[in-house]
Amino acid sequence: MRGAGMSLSLCLSSFLLFSCSDFLDREAGGSDFTEEQTFSDWENFTAYHMDGYNYLRHGALRINNSWLDAATDLAMCSYSDGGVRKSFNVGNYNSSFGSAELTSTMEHYYRAVRKYNTVIARAEIVPKPTDAAKLASYTQDKQNFVAEARFLRAWAYWEMFLRYGTMPIITSRLNPDGNLIESILYNENGELKDEGGRPTVKQYVVDFILAELADCESGLLDNMRGDTRDGRITKGMARALAARIYLYMASPRYAEESGVTWQQAANAQKAFMNDFMGDYSLMPDYSSAILKTVNAGNTEVIFWRNDGTVGWSAVMRDVPPAEGGMGGNCPTQNLVDMYDMLDGSSPFTSYDVTGAPVYGTDQMTPTVNSASGYNDENPVEGRDPRLAATILYNGVHWGTKDLDMTEGGADNAYGDANATKTGYYMRKYVPEDIFNTTAHSGNASRNWIFIRYAEILLNYAEALNEVSYDANKNTICDLLNQLRGRAGIEGDLRNRLTEDLTSQEAMRNFIHKERTIELAMEEHRAWDVRRWQCATEALSRPIIGMTVSKAGDGTDVYTRKIAQTRIFEERMYLYPIPETEIWKVGPYGFKDNPGWSEY
């Protein structure tokens, strides 16, 4: 049972992470500047604004050294102290093992909102720079800073929405001695407003977030590819984020409350493609779309966290133990099963709304499409090349050797607690240059991608199918052919319109499958299955692995197994409001999300 709320006080604003004693005495992000120093000097103010980019979170190992995709059916953390194993996977959403993802996301983003609100409020009063070069760009820089802060604030509220639903919207720079929080959360009688001051989905997402993105776009930079300002927020980023949000709002979970239609979602994707045609395009191969940096010519990445190079310490947790790593984020057979064959056919006969094949009563064996040539005795042979670019499997050459994942083999040794439990290791987002020598002395860039052009194509295909399968099926095939052709898959999807992709439902399930494999390990799956309203089905199913053993004649034998069972209940569509935040908001307490108040 959660504790009762604490009494209302002048520091009620602590709900939004302001302290009455240190409100802006020191800058967030570690600066030693006082408020006066920060806002009386243009260079200091510029540094204060740029620090706001640090609130963009990197996905690698964020959840106590594990990945969010390991909280879905796509992956499993191999080591027992990985955060998802002690929180998401066992249904313990109040667990401190879930790290900042479960316990501090609200705090993290409201701190960010505080900074962005301050930039917006103070930009006009900061003195102009005295340096001639900086003075020449002052007007443009000020416009850009305010627009960037508005974008980043919209992003922060969107990230909170995915996890907690709608939250109180704060757009003013709070006075720690004022009563702004009371006016937002409480009515004139001192009672907590209906829904605890939380707006409707339409008010929060459509009327605020989408409106902010539209309003700030004109003040943002154009595409800065190759410029020293690369990584700053651009017009394309704002439009791409809006396009994603339109798709989400048209999806089954949100459509009724948001009022957004699939046609609006389709229009948003098409407008992006038309208006930014010269700025973004698919990279020629799948791996370079992930690992090649924007500065090195990656035309596919739209919005990303602009990090520097990383070395062995950044990837060792996701490297096979025989290479000196800890196994880490191990892809599942569930994910492997979603990849088509190289010739463009599907290996299994039917797929569900989650994008996964339909499994039999044993919950791990789908019915094979005999015409595809798929053989469970070698489940990676003849498959979509995106599989090999995403997943390390038995026998593949990687680093300095061929991987041996047979039972007792070098990469699946007996007694090694960190060895893969699924029969696979992750390749995507692990730059091979770092450890292609025995000294593991290499380094490589690993920027975290929020949005890339491939997603826009997938968004458009999904929206068009929901608008009208019959009217749009050929266009949908053309969009998906771009992604599949780039990966190296043979065949034209149009040929399957008379075979297995013969209805809107079949195409829907296929698009969900294509989206899942194209964007695997990029933090899409957890939110996609929620917006499709099938998270309980997708995230409570058993995690399937593959045991590889040696037959008497020395050949490898593949056997499916249940590697892990998972818990996912209806209330887990949203995270619980952190208990510490509930306590901070007055005598009535902040209203928790459905199903969590008794836990």
Side-chain angles (χ1 to χ4, degrees):
M1 188 79 173
R2 291 189 182 240
M6 296 173 65
S7 62
L8 188 63
S9 70
L10 289 177
C11 278
L12 184 58
S13 54
S14 62
F15 168 68
L16 297 180
L17 313 163
F18 294 85
S19 164
C20 290
S21 62
D22 67 0
F23 184 76
L24 263 181
D25 284 344
R26 294 291 184 267
E27 300 308 312
S31 171
D32 287 330
F33 290 141
T34 64
E35 179 176 4
E36 180 180 359
Q37 290 171 321
T38 298
F39 302 120
S40 62
D41 180 87
W42 183 254
E43 288 192 36
N44 289 349
F45 177 68
T46 298
Y48 178 84
H49 167 62
M50 293 305 173
D51 180 63
Y53 280 83
N54 287 320
Y55 287 99
L56 295 173
R57 298 196 300 181
H58 200 293
L61 302 171
R62 190 178 71 241
I63 308 173
N64 244 357
N65 293 317
S66 58
W67 297 59
L68 184 59
D69 272 311
T72 75
D73 52 341
L74 304 191
M76 174 183 171
C77 185
S78 67
Y79 41 84
S80 62
D81 62 345
V84 294
R85 288 188 62 165
K86 295 186 176 182
S87 57
F88 287 96
N89 298 164
V90 295
N92 187 3
Y93 277 44
N94 290 309
S95 170
S96 61
F97 291 102
S99 190
E101 175 65 24
L102 284 168
T103 60
S104 303
T105 291
M106 186 184 298
E107 176 181 352
H108 175 89
Y109 283 117
Y110 269 124
R111 285 189 182 276
V113 166
R114 165 192 172 177
K115 178 176 281 287
Y116 307 142
N117 285 343
T118 303
V119 169
I120 295 165
R122 291 301 188 96
E124 285 293 341
I125 66 171
V126 178
K128 295 180 180 180
T130 56
D131 177 85
K134 291 183 174 63
L135 183 61
S137 63
Y138 163 75
T139 300
Q140 183 67 51
D141 288 342
K142 182 175 64 173
Q143 173 184 288
N144 294 153
F145 291 175
V146 171
E148 288 167 24
R150 292 180 70 184
F151 172 95
L152 291 166
R153 183 175 65 183
W155 173 258
Y157 278 118
W158 174 246
E159 286 286 285
M160 285 193 281
F161 174 77
L162 292 174
R163 294 157 174 82
Y164 303 111
T166 64
M167 300 297 295
I169 299 172
I170 310 298
T171 58
S172 301
R173 182 174 180 269
L174 296 182
N175 180 345
D177 296 319
N179 63 358
L180 180 59
I181 297 296
E182 289 120 308
S183 68
I184 291 171
L185 299 180
Y186 291 84
N187 63 26
E188 62 276 9
N189 298 319
E191 300 168 334
L192 196 68
K193 291 179 181 178
D194 291 344
E195 304 304 325
R198 299 169 77 169
T200 65
V201 169
K202 182 180 182 301
Q203 290 169 337
Y204 185 94
V205 180
V206 179
D207 299 342
F208 177 67
I209 295 178
L210 285 175
E212 276 289 282
L213 293 172
D215 287 346
C216 78
E217 183 180 321
S218 63
L220 294 170
L221 295 165
D222 293 320
N223 189 342
M224 290 291 105
R225 202 175 302 279
D227 189 278
T228 56
R229 294 170 292 178
D230 216 353
R232 297 262 299 277
I233 303 302
T234 65
K235 292 178 174 65
M237 295 179 190
R239 191 77 69 83
L241 177 56
R244 173 188 289 180
I245 293 172
Y246 270 108
L247 183 84
Y248 274 57
M249 290 301 100
S251 298
R253 179 164 175 79
Y254 304 115
E256 183 176 351
E257 292 182 80
S258 73
V260 173
T261 66
W262 283 113
Q263 186 62 62
Q264 287 176 291
N267 293 345
Q269 318 310 317
K270 184 62 173 175
F272 179 90
M273 294 164 67
N274 288 341
D275 294 348
F276 296 92
M277 187 180 301
D279 292 329
Y280 308 104
S281 59
L282 292 180
M283 291 293 286
D285 67 274
Y286 183 69
S287 293
S288 65
I290 305 302
L291 294 178
K292 193 169 186 177
T293 64
V294 173
N295 285 336
N298 191 328
T299 60
E300 187 164 338
V301 173
I302 300 170
F303 176 32
W304 73 103
R305 179 186 160 103
N306 198 14
D307 292 324
T309 58
V310 297
W312 170 248
S313 63
V315 301
M316 59 84 63
R317 283 185 171 272
D318 293 311
V319 172
E323 283 284 341
M326 295 182 63
N329 195 49
C330 298
T332 62
Q333 187 63 40
N334 310 64
L335 173 58
V336 172
D337 286 342
M338 294 188 200
Y339 291 89
D340 270 357
M341 305 301 290
L342 180 62
D343 66 5
S345 63
S346 288
F348 306 110
T349 58
S350 58
Y351 295 79
D352 63 25
V353 71
T354 73
V358 175
Y359 293 100
T361 55
D362 65 356
Q363 298 185 288
M364 61 180 178
T365 307
T367 302
V368 173
N369 170 20
S370 57
S372 71
Y374 173 81
N375 184 355
D376 224 31
E377 284 300 313
N378 193 348
V380 299
E381 184 178 21
R383 305 295 292 278
D384 176 346
R386 286 175 291 186
L387 189 158
T390 304
I391 299 170
L392 294 173
Y393 49 83
N394 183 53
V396 70
H397 187 82
W398 188 73
T400 59
K401 64 183 183 66
D402 294 341
L403 298 184
D404 181 4
M405 297 183 198
T406 58
E407 289 185 301
D411 299 291
N412 193 11
Y414 292 122
D416 190 335
N418 294 330
T420 177
K421 310 301 186 293
T422 65
Y424 304 99
Y425 294 103
M426 183 171 71
R427 186 170 200 162
K428 192 174 186 178
Y429 263 131
V430 183
E432 202 166 345
D433 290 345
I434 292 175
F435 50 90
N436 58 8
T437 66
T438 55
H440 296 153
S441 58
N443 59 70
S445 296
R446 184 170 69 164
N447 295 335
W448 180 253
I449 300 169
F450 297 115
I451 307 176
R452 56 188 176 92
Y453 188 66
E455 180 192 339
I456 300 296
L457 299 180
L458 289 161
N459 292 350
Y460 193 30
E462 181 178 344
L464 286 178
N465 184 61
E466 299 302 337
V467 169
S468 172
Y469 163 81
D470 289 327
N472 297 315
K473 57 187 177 183
N474 287 304
T475 302
I476 294 166
C477 288
D478 290 342
L479 291 164
L480 298 179
N481 277 339
Q482 291 183 54
L483 296 171
R484 290 162 65 87
R486 183 266 292 273
I489 296 178
E490 302 163 5
D492 185 340
L493 278 179
R494 290 171 182 254
N495 297 330
R496 293 177 57 175
L497 293 175
T498 56
E499 298 172 359
D500 56 335
L501 302 180
T502 57
S503 67
Q504 184 183 54
E505 180 183 9
M507 184 65 83
R508 176 185 300 125
N509 297 349
F510 183 79
I511 291 169
H512 291 183
K513 176 180 73 67
E514 283 293 302
R515 183 181 183 90
T516 299
I517 60 177
E518 174 70 31
L519 302 175
M521 311 308 172
E522 297 179 48
E523 287 201 357
H524 286 264
R525 182 67 169 173
W527 314 125
D528 279 337
V529 293
R530 283 172 167 86
R531 69 179 176 87
W532 294 331
Q533 206 76 308
C534 60
T536 304
E537 180 179 354
L539 304 185
S540 64
R541 61 166 52 111
I543 295 303
I544 306 168
M546 190 70 80
T547 297
V548 189
S549 57
K550 288 289 186 184
D553 61 1
T555 58
D556 294 334
V557 178
Y558 292 80
T559 307
R560 289 175 178 261
K561 64 179 179 181
I562 300 295
Q564 189 181 54
T565 56
R566 297 277 178 89
I567 295 173
F568 190 91
E569 301 166 349
E570 190 71 18
R571 61 193 172 99
M572 295 170 188
Y573 268 85
L574 292 174
Y575 297 178
I577 303 298
E579 188 174 48
T580 52
E581 304 307 326
I582 288 180
W583 287 352
K584 290 174 183 175
V585 189
Y588 304 99
F590 189 75
K591 186 174 181 180
D592 207 345
N593 282 322
W596 290 110
S597 59
E598 299 301 319
Y599 291 84

